[in-house]
Amino acid sequence: MLSIIIPLYNKEKYIIRCLNSIIEACDNYIEIIVVNDGSTDQSMTILSNYHHKDKITVINKENGGVSSARNAGIHAAQGEWIMFMDADDSFIKGWAYKLEEYIKIYSSCNVLIANYTTIDENGCEIKNMNYKRDRIIFNPLKEIWYRRLYSRPGNTIIKRNIFSIIGYYDESLSYNEDLEFSIRLLSYYKAVVLPLRIMSYFKTNDSASSFIHPIEKDFVCKINNISKGSIWRNLLLYELFLFHKKRCHNSSFVEYHVSIWFVFCYYLNKIYRKIKKGIF
């Protein structure tokens, strides 16, 4: 069984679109769990009147952030496989049957990552991942660094027993928490990429990236304590640090101490990445 966990906090405009994209393809192998994280809008009223509410398990909890909502869903899930979906995104028609086939083929693997599409504020489609064939990626963090792989809620399917091994979402984080989890996950496990475009990620004014978050809730505030690991992991963390530094000029909360040789390595790899992408 596949358990789909949807954290819900004030997404009254989008939750039905999200649920319909699952229900229309739903069969007995899919479990839908909506975790209401203390919504204060009409989200719960809309859910209570939803004509397919009998196919959904709803968990109500006090507001604790998206990480705690995902963790609550994990603890309630019955499926062997788990995936997360943001309430303002949706699956692409025909996704479920094809994904079920890949789950059977790769039942011995732990992480599957499918293609997805981004829809911008103007409704234009941006294709972010476009793998043409399924294959095993033995160094996922390297692929993420070179912008050839993206792991996000909605396109990543994970064996449920993995959480008891690597841990759950960090509940102290509410921004870049999915990046923190992806880096932690893919530091230990290879991934199977699937030539299946599974979902649409909608960039809207209501998206989490559109809001200013307290720095102490951002993953970037913890990277000064994460200095070990592969070179690809450290390059990704340092890039996040530089992005934050550029965005928040007056912030002295975050410090990231690296050697001059690492900085040289970072910029050398960044130049090489641009060459590989054909920018130069």
Side-chain angles (χ1 to χ4, degrees), residues 2-6 81-85 91 95 99 153-158 163 198-199:
L2 169 66
S3 297
I4 301 176
I5 298 169
I6 307 170
W81 294 85
I82 285 178
M83 68 186 304
F84 303 96
M85 191 68 169
F91 289 101
W95 65 276
L99 179 59
N155 83 323
T156 304
I157 304 95
I158 308 164
F163 295 95
I198 191 173
M199 56 86 68

Side-chain angles (χ1 to χ4, degrees), residues 240-276:
L240 178 62
F241 164 74
L242 292 180
F243 174 78
H244 167 80
K245 186 177 180 180
K246 181 179 179 180
R247 184 182 183 188
C248 306
H249 301 286
N250 297 323
S251 175
S252 58
F253 188 87
V254 177
E255 295 182 2
Y256 195 84
H257 302 289
V258 294
S259 69
I260 188 65
W261 295 110
F262 178 82
V263 175
F264 174 77
C265 178
Y266 169 79
Y267 284 104
L268 185 65
N269 276 279
K270 189 170 184 179
I271 291 170
Y272 182 68
R273 182 174 69 187
K274 289 184 177 182
I275 293 173
K276 292 283 285 185

Side-chain angles (χ1 to χ4, degrees), residues 94-130:
W95 65 276
Y97 173 76
K98 295 177 183 177
L99 179 59
E100 184 178 13
E101 291 300 309
Y102 281 117
I103 285 177
K104 291 177 181 177
I105 294 171
Y106 292 103
S107 59
S108 62
C109 298
N110 294 299
V111 183
L112 310 179
I113 301 178
N115 293 331
Y116 75 96
T117 295
T118 295
I119 308 296
D120 67 16
E121 295 87 344
N122 300 315
C124 298
E125 182 178 293
I126 307 169
K127 294 181 179 179
N128 290 90
M129 275 181 57
N130 195 30

Side-chain angles (χ1 to χ4, degrees), residues 3 8 18 37-38 44-45 53 78 94 100 108 113 139 143 157 163 197-198 211 225 239:
S3 297
L8 176 62
C18 177
D37 191 35
M44 290 308 297
T45 300
K53 62 182 179 181
Q78 300 297 311
E100 184 178 13
S108 62
I113 301 178
N139 193 340
E143 293 292 294
I157 304 95
F163 295 95
R197 198 166 298 282
I198 191 173
F211 297 95
N225 297 320
E239 185 166 57

Side-chain angles (χ1 to χ4, degrees), residues 1-7 18-19 21-23 25-27 29-35 55-59 69-70 73-74 76-87 89-91 95-96 99 103 153-158 198:
M1 180 186 290
L2 169 66
S3 297
I4 301 176
I5 298 169
I6 307 170
C18 177
L19 290 173
S21 71
I22 305 173
I23 295 294
C26 196
D27 58 28
Y29 99 101
I30 296 178
E31 174 189 44
I32 306 172
I33 300 174
V34 176
V35 182
K55 297 182 179 180
I56 302 167
T57 298
V58 178
I59 299 172
R70 288 176 181 148
I74 295 168
Q78 300 297 311
E80 180 186 7
W81 294 85
I82 285 178
M83 68 186 304
F84 303 96
M85 191 68 169
D86 290 342
D89 296 332
S90 66
F91 289 101
W95 65 276
L99 179 59
I103 285 177
N155 83 323
T156 304
I157 304 95
I158 308 164
I198 191 173

Side-chain angles (χ1 to χ4, degrees), residues 183-209:
I183 289 178
R184 179 156 38 101
L185 171 69
L186 298 175
S187 293
Y188 294 99
Y189 293 97
K190 60 192 177 191
V192 178
V193 291
L194 307 178
L196 169 63
R197 198 166 298 282
I198 191 173
M199 56 86 68
S200 295
Y201 162 58
F202 290 87
K203 296 186 69 173
T204 68
N205 293 331
D206 296 335
S207 299
S209 57

Side-chain angles (χ1 to χ4, degrees), residues 209-258:
S209 57
S210 301
F211 297 95
I212 301 299
H213 293 73
I215 182 59
E216 61 271 15
K217 294 288 188 178
D218 193 324
F219 173 43
V220 72
C221 76
K222 291 194 172 185
I223 62 175
N224 59 330
N225 297 320
I226 305 174
S227 58
K228 297 181 179 180
S230 73
I231 181 63
W232 309 109
R233 172 178 171 169
N234 288 331
L235 288 173
L236 289 167
L237 294 177
Y238 190 61
E239 185 166 57
L240 178 62
F241 164 74
L242 292 180
F243 174 78
H244 167 80
K245 186 177 180 180
K246 181 179 179 180
R247 184 182 183 188
C248 306
H249 301 286
N250 297 323
S251 175
S252 58
F253 188 87
V254 177
E255 295 182 2
Y256 195 84
H257 302 289
V258 294

